[in-house]
Amino acid sequence: MQSPKQYIDIKDRQADLDFINEETWRAELGLRAIAFMYDDHSEDENSYDNILVLKDNIKYRLFSASHQYLVFLREMYHSEAYLQKMYKENPRYIDAFPLGNPFFDKVELELSSIFDNIIFQITSLFDYLSHIVCYMIFKNKSNTLYWTKLAKASRGQNNDLTNTVVKKVIDLVDRRFVGKLYDYRSRLLHHKRDQHHFGGKTTLGDFVFHLSFIPSDIALKHFNLINNDIEPGKKVTLTYLSSWLIKRTFIEIEVILDVLAIEIQKDSNFYSNI
């Protein structure tokens, strides 16, 4: 069992969940606002219906990711209670498994599967967001791209992504976060699952558990952007990483919506539409 002192964890789980829920609604309002803004300023007669369909898909993924974080925290509480009960009833188990503790392995498997679901939801979200970017920026409204192709277009020439400002923003967001998110998801889907490490602590007198699973080195390598947000020399728990991924998603959504809002108003047909 690794020492928990060097790791940054979520101290108040309920407060963190409440914050993520609030930011989820804030992101949804931002998406709704950009959809209405595009409808107000665009010549596209079908924009209202088409953009709102895409917006609703993003909304679904946003709330799904937030809900998966709720499930993750619930499972943490459940697992702590499970281990506490197990070790109170069987104190000898604390040193009985030198080659791997099956109870810790069970908990790791359950929590890792929920963490993977968070990855899947927010990655899918960026595909829908990519479709919105394409719909608003491309002349051909039927030619929308998934994120990976949009990111490639942002670094290429002779394609439908001709807006220089949007290209720079898409490239930036992809290089620092979303591209690595897709790489990690691809590994989970096509190579092997990622196994994280138990780093919890317990008071031996009463076997009170506080679980802290530690992300794998592979996960930390993919999401090394998190090092900009934490104290040097520290590492994070899987709970902290789960929370950070969702919060980082909010940041990247806002960056993209901000540039879309500027570009929509540059080529406005607002008064004609009125």
Side-chain angles (χ1 to χ4, degrees):
M1 190 181 300
Q2 302 178 45
S3 170
K5 293 181 180 180
Q6 60 183 314
Y7 295 102
I8 302 175
D9 200 2
I10 300 297
K11 294 182 179 179
D12 189 332
R13 295 173 183 173
Q14 185 59 54
D16 193 60
L17 178 63
D18 291 343
F19 177 80
I20 283 179
N21 285 332
E22 290 172 3
E23 289 298 295
T24 300
W25 280 108
R26 181 174 179 271
E28 195 277 333
L29 288 172
L31 288 161
R32 194 187 313 174
I34 207 73
F36 288 135
M37 179 184 291
Y38 182 77
D39 185 60
D40 287 340
H41 291 267
S42 172
E43 291 180 323
D44 180 14
E45 295 179 357
N46 301 312
S47 66
Y48 182 81
D49 293 333
N50 292 333
I51 289 291
L52 285 184
V53 168
L54 294 170
K55 190 275 296 181
D56 286 344
N57 284 323
I58 298 175
K59 173 185 175 182
Y60 175 72
R61 298 300 176 187
L62 272 172
F63 283 90
S64 295
S66 298
H67 180 69
Q68 286 302 305
Y69 185 56
L70 167 63
V71 174
F72 186 97
L73 294 180
R74 283 178 176 171
E75 193 61 37
M76 288 286 288
Y77 286 120
H78 174 77
S79 297
E80 287 166 344
Y82 162 75
L83 290 174
Q84 183 171 329
K85 180 176 182 295
M86 179 67 64
Y87 280 90
K88 275 188 174 181
E89 293 176 352
N90 305 278
R92 67 184 185 280
Y93 281 176
I94 198 71
D95 297 314
F97 307 103
L99 300 180
N101 189 308
F103 305 115
F104 293 168
D105 291 344
K106 172 182 179 295
V107 171
E108 185 274 333
L109 184 65
E110 293 166 348
L111 290 170
S112 293
S113 69
I114 303 170
F115 176 76
D116 289 354
N117 285 337
I118 293 174
I119 295 290
F120 297 149
Q121 293 296 339
I122 60 179
T123 308
S124 178
L125 179 156
F126 281 103
D127 276 332
Y128 286 114
L129 186 57
S130 176
H131 290 314
I132 280 188
V133 172
C134 294
Y135 191 89
M136 291 184 176
I137 299 298
F138 289 4
K139 291 182 179 180
N140 183 356
K141 303 303 178 186
S142 64
N143 183 29
T144 62
L145 305 174
Y146 289 97
W147 180 271
T148 50
K149 290 188 176 180
L150 180 63
K152 184 178 180 180
S154 75
R155 294 186 276 272
Q157 302 293 330
N158 301 320
N159 56 57
D160 290 333
L161 188 56
T162 58
N163 187 298
T164 303
V165 177
V166 175
K167 287 177 70 168
K168 288 181 178 179
V169 168
I170 295 299
D171 182 45
L172 173 64
V173 170
D174 183 69
R175 288 182 187 277
R176 71 184 176 194
F177 180 65
V178 184
K180 295 177 181 180
L181 185 68
Y182 273 79
D183 289 344
Y184 187 73
R185 184 192 67 166
S186 179
R187 185 181 187 278
L188 293 177
L189 290 174
H190 305 300
H191 182 54
K192 62 183 296 187
R193 86 156 182 110
D194 205 3
Q195 188 167 5
H196 308 287
H197 314 292
F198 182 79
K201 61 180 179 180
T202 180
T203 305
L204 294 180
D206 51 13
F207 296 106
V208 175
F209 275 85
H210 181 82
L211 280 181
S212 298
F213 271 91
I214 311 307
S216 71
D217 290 340
I218 293 170
L220 293 174
K221 181 179 179 180
H222 276 80
F223 305 118
N224 58 8
L225 181 64
I226 198 172
N227 293 326
N228 295 341
D229 299 334
I230 62 175
E231 185 181 342
K234 294 283 188 176
K235 295 183 179 180
V236 299
T237 65
L238 194 63
T239 308
Y240 191 95
L241 180 58
S242 300
S243 174
W244 179 86
L245 284 166
I246 298 173
K247 293 171 185 173
R248 189 72 216 182
T249 297
F250 296 144
I251 292 172
E252 304 298 2
I253 289 173
E254 186 167 352
V255 168
I256 293 171
L257 294 186
D258 283 347
V259 73
L260 287 177
I262 293 170
E263 295 306 309
I264 287 170
Q265 294 177 80
K266 278 184 179 180
D267 187 22
S268 174
N269 291 280
F270 180 77
Y271 292 106
S272 298
N273 290 342
I274 289 177

